[in-house]
Amino acid sequence: MSPVRHVTLVTSVITLGIASLAGCSEADGPSSPPSPGAAAPSPTATEVPCGAVADTVSRHLRSDQVRAVTVEGQCTTVVVATTLGDGDAGPGRQLCDRAGEVAYSGDVNSVRVLSGSGSELANGITGMRCLT
């Protein structure tokens, strides 16, 4: 077998292998979108929507010092924005520990508490007390 014919044969085999692995066929078209009335699957206990976690933490903290509670990342970090000053690490750590009592559900694995200027006052991770 000539080298050119061998390379062509090998190239053809590789191309066919890639096409079959990718599941290419002319019958495959774009998938149709779900019908407007179709219900989305409901989340399980470990798949709590990000907004629900933020609302739960906000209700649990019930403090005039809390301006907003949001979730960042891919629903992994609860961020508590406060009116506290940059030197208020103690109250920030207390808010962080309290937020941690209810925040760690679904993918949430950390809590951050920020001062009014945006400086981090405290942070915590699942199963640990918050640090300043």
Side-chain angles (χ1 to χ4, degrees), residues 100 104 109 124-129:
Y104 302 120
N109 58 23
I125 58 172
T126 306
M128 303 294 290
R129 298 206 42 109

Side-chain angles (χ1 to χ4, degrees), residues 61 63 65-66 82 84 91-100 113:
L61 293 177
S63 171
Q65 298 170 322
V66 175
T82 71
L84 296 171
R93 187 177 61 242
Q94 290 173 346
L95 285 172
C96 182
D97 285 333
R98 285 194 31 132
V113 175

Side-chain angles (χ1 to χ4, degrees), residues 42-131:
S42 60
T44 64
T46 59
E47 296 173 350
V48 178
C50 292
V53 172
D55 290 343
T56 299
V57 171
S58 185
R59 282 192 308 273
H60 185 70
L61 293 177
R62 283 184 274 169
S63 171
D64 293 338
Q65 298 170 322
V66 175
R67 287 186 310 147
V69 177
T70 58
V71 182
E72 292 180 345
Q74 295 180 332
C75 206
T76 57
T77 303
V78 170
V79 179
V80 180
T82 71
T83 59
L84 296 171
D86 290 346
D88 292 331
R93 187 177 61 242
Q94 290 173 346
L95 285 172
C96 182
D97 285 333
R98 285 194 31 132
E101 293 170 358
V102 296
Y104 302 120
S105 63
D107 292 333
V108 175
N109 58 23
S110 65
V111 173
R112 295 179 64 217
V113 175
L114 307 177
S115 70
S117 71
S119 298
E120 185 172 275
L121 296 173
N123 63 57
I125 58 172
T126 306
M128 303 294 290
R129 298 206 42 109
C130 292
L131 303 172

